[in-house]
Amino acid sequence: MAIEDFSLKEIGYFVPEIFFLENTVEVAQKLLGKILIVYDEAGNLLGGRIAETEAYLSTNDAASHSYCGITKRNSAMFAIGGTVYVYRSYGVHFCMNIVTEQENIGAAVLIRSIIPMFGLDIMKRNRMKDDLRVLCNGPGKLTQALGISLFDNFKKINNSNIHILDDGCKLDFITTKRIGITKSADLPLRFVII
DNA sequence: ATATGGATGCTCT
DNA sequence: GAGCATCCATATG
């Protein structure tokens, strides 16, 4: 809690909560280029630039965890925009989302990839990999590198040890189908910086 | 360069 | 008991 935020201000502006209350697709696109920062338990600053996101919608999206309504597992996804939603994937990995729009809507953006920038040594240790290219290039990989787990479910962006900063970086991106799903698999809801 | 299959655990039917 | 918003090692072109 006693987090040294002043050092983060040298990196960029804190994204305000209202940023996450907008349309989910727009938030997913605008998150590209933003900087994800996590302080681990030892106080190390870890993170990098968001390079790939996917939008999961509240309606007409069978791949979205919110599609069948609220359950214990997905309840964080129905919190207000700016809430962190973490779930366990394939029994082995964690995936991190940021909830979008208003409370009780059930939409979120999956962070699929970041470009490592801060805390490289710690992230390498967390991942047991030295190759920067495979450190954070996948949703399960980046949570492992950053030490994100179910413990982080329901945390608030910029009001916890998890932050999103804007350093003004604007990057071109492409839009594709989402990865690793079978339902609603053709929707163009994945965004990747070029 | 692309394709497969195994590990893993929890949620929901 | 099925089915996953995955990763990695291994196997093949």
Side-chain angles (χ1 to χ4, degrees):
Chain A
M1 281 177 297
I3 292 165
E4 295 184 48
D5 294 78
F6 76 93
S7 65
L8 294 185
K9 290 178 184 161
E10 297 168 20
I11 300 171
Y13 297 100
F14 291 91
V15 170
E17 185 192 55
I18 194 173
F19 174 90
F20 299 104
L21 304 184
E22 313 279 329
N23 170 274
T24 301
V25 170
E26 244 175 74
V27 175
Q29 295 172 349
K30 287 183 179 171
L31 274 173
L32 296 172
K34 299 283 189 291
I35 298 174
L36 172 63
I37 296 284
V38 174
Y39 284 95
D40 71 7
E41 288 186 353
N44 299 301
L45 191 157
L46 313 177
R49 195 178 300 284
I50 297 174
E52 180 181 348
T53 60
E54 284 179 356
Y56 286 87
L57 309 180
S58 60
T59 55
N60 300 315
D61 182 2
S64 177
H65 285 177
S66 62
Y67 187 69
C68 298
I70 190 165
T71 66
K72 187 173 181 181
R73 179 196 192 214
N74 68 12
S75 60
M77 195 169 170
F78 290 84
I80 193 163
T83 303
V84 174
Y85 167 44
V86 181
Y87 65 90
R88 187 185 290 275
S89 170
Y90 291 91
V92 196
H93 301 103
F94 297 111
C95 292
M96 176 186 172
N97 301 255
I98 303 176
V99 179
T100 56
E101 307 189 35
Q102 295 294 334
E103 203 169 354
N104 267 313
I105 296 293
V109 175
L110 171 67
I111 311 297
R112 282 195 62 88
S113 174
I114 66 173
I115 300 165
M117 291 171 64
F118 305 105
L120 302 185
D121 292 341
I122 307 291
M123 294 202 290
K124 286 176 182 175
R125 195 182 68 198
N126 290 346
R127 289 271 299 123
M128 293 179 289
K129 305 271 179 192
D130 279 338
D131 187 344
L132 286 182
R133 292 171 300 182
V134 302
L135 212 54
C136 301
N137 66 330
K141 298 180 191 180
L142 74 90
T143 55
Q144 185 180 32
L146 297 171
I148 298 280
S149 72
L150 292 178
F151 182 73
D152 300 293
N153 201 25
F154 278 107
K155 282 184 178 175
K156 302 295 182 194
I157 295 292
N158 292 337
N159 196 17
S160 66
N161 61 321
I162 305 176
H163 303 269
I164 299 286
L165 299 178
D166 183 355
D167 68 346
C169 176
K170 296 273 187 287
L171 297 165
D172 290 328
F173 66 91
I174 57 169
T175 301
T176 76
K177 297 173 185 178
R178 292 174 294 184
I179 302 287
I181 58 173
T182 53
K183 294 171 287 190
S184 298
D186 289 332
L187 298 178
L189 293 175
R190 173 173 173 255
F191 312 103
V192 192
I193 65 172
I194 300 172

